[in-house]
Amino acid sequence: MDVNNLSRETRTMANASSVARPAVLSDLIPASRARDVALVVGGAALTGLAAQLSFPLPGSPVPVSGQTFAVVLVGAALGMNRGVLSMALYMLAGVAGVPWFAEGASGFGGASFGYVIGFIAAAAVVGKLAERGGDRTVPRTIGTMILGNLVIYAFGLPVLIAVAQMDLATGLALGVVPFLLGDALKIVVAAGLLPAAWKLSRH
């Protein structure tokens, strides 16, 4: 038996196994350009649909909606590159006039537009963490989702304060605090769904 050939074959099999292993859930679908386009468009459409599940908050220009939940799910399921493209499509289509921002809004600017910009950054962070296994266990998923939500606030809060001419305390009271309970519930749901999906896939 040629030990060198055996070693090369072992390395080849290991490399093939590494390549074949899906990094994110959407990789379970056979790879093709059509798949990637469908995933990007579908992620944007899901976010637009979730945005219509919105409820105004008294005194706040930012409504409660399902957007952030869709954003972190899209980022985790699609990975960084496709997640970023999906959220960029969501933003650009909304700016162009598609009425799929929260409460059926569209166009550029507004007190809540910073959150929309934050969706792109959050998809990048969540997607990258998911590619490294950040959505395969409950504790990791919770950490990944928390970071994703913090990124959204990091973009949304400064724009809210600037556009609505608020001080920091008021911005936090109207643009962050009212959403924390809902975000916690969304994180719990995501922490149940994503690891369970991986277990069902047996990867």
Side-chain angles (χ1 to χ4, degrees):
M1 178 180 295
D2 190 328
V3 176
N4 289 331
N5 287 338
L6 180 60
S7 178
R8 283 195 296 270
E9 290 175 4
T10 301
R11 287 197 298 269
T12 300
M13 292 176 62
N15 290 336
S17 176
S18 176
V19 170
R21 186 175 185 269
V24 292
L25 284 167
S26 58
D27 290 339
L28 296 171
I29 304 171
S32 70
R33 182 162 296 183
R35 176 203 68 172
D36 291 339
V37 171
L39 289 171
V40 168
V41 173
L46 175 64
T47 306
L49 180 63
Q52 306 319 305
L53 301 173
S54 62
F55 308 93
L57 284 175
S60 175
V62 183
V64 174
S65 77
Q67 279 175 303
T68 55
F69 184 59
V71 170
V72 293
L73 284 182
V74 168
L78 270 60
M80 183 176 72
N81 292 335
R82 289 178 301 224
V84 166
L85 288 174
S86 187
M87 291 304 103
L89 174 62
Y90 173 69
M91 183 185 74
L92 292 174
V95 168
V98 177
W100 62 1
F101 291 159
E103 300 182 312
S106 63
F108 178 81
S112 62
F113 194 74
Y115 295 92
V116 178
I117 298 173
F119 294 164
I120 300 174
V125 171
V126 171
K128 190 63 176 179
L129 290 173
E131 290 171 2
R132 297 180 176 183
D135 64 339
R136 297 199 178 213
T137 67
V138 170
R140 287 184 180 181
T141 303
I142 290 173
T144 297
M145 299 298 113
I146 288 175
L147 285 175
N149 278 274
L150 289 176
V151 170
I152 293 172
Y153 286 126
F155 282 81
L157 182 60
V159 174
L160 172 64
I161 290 172
V163 173
Q165 298 183 341
M166 300 174 178
D167 57 30
L168 178 59
T170 303
L172 288 169
L174 296 179
V176 176
V177 174
F179 306 98
L180 294 179
L181 178 58
D183 287 342
L185 293 174
K186 296 170 190 175
I187 289 169
V188 168
V189 173
L193 287 176
L194 294 170
W198 278 116
K199 287 183 179 180
L200 288 174
S201 73
R202 296 182 180 179
H203 283 87

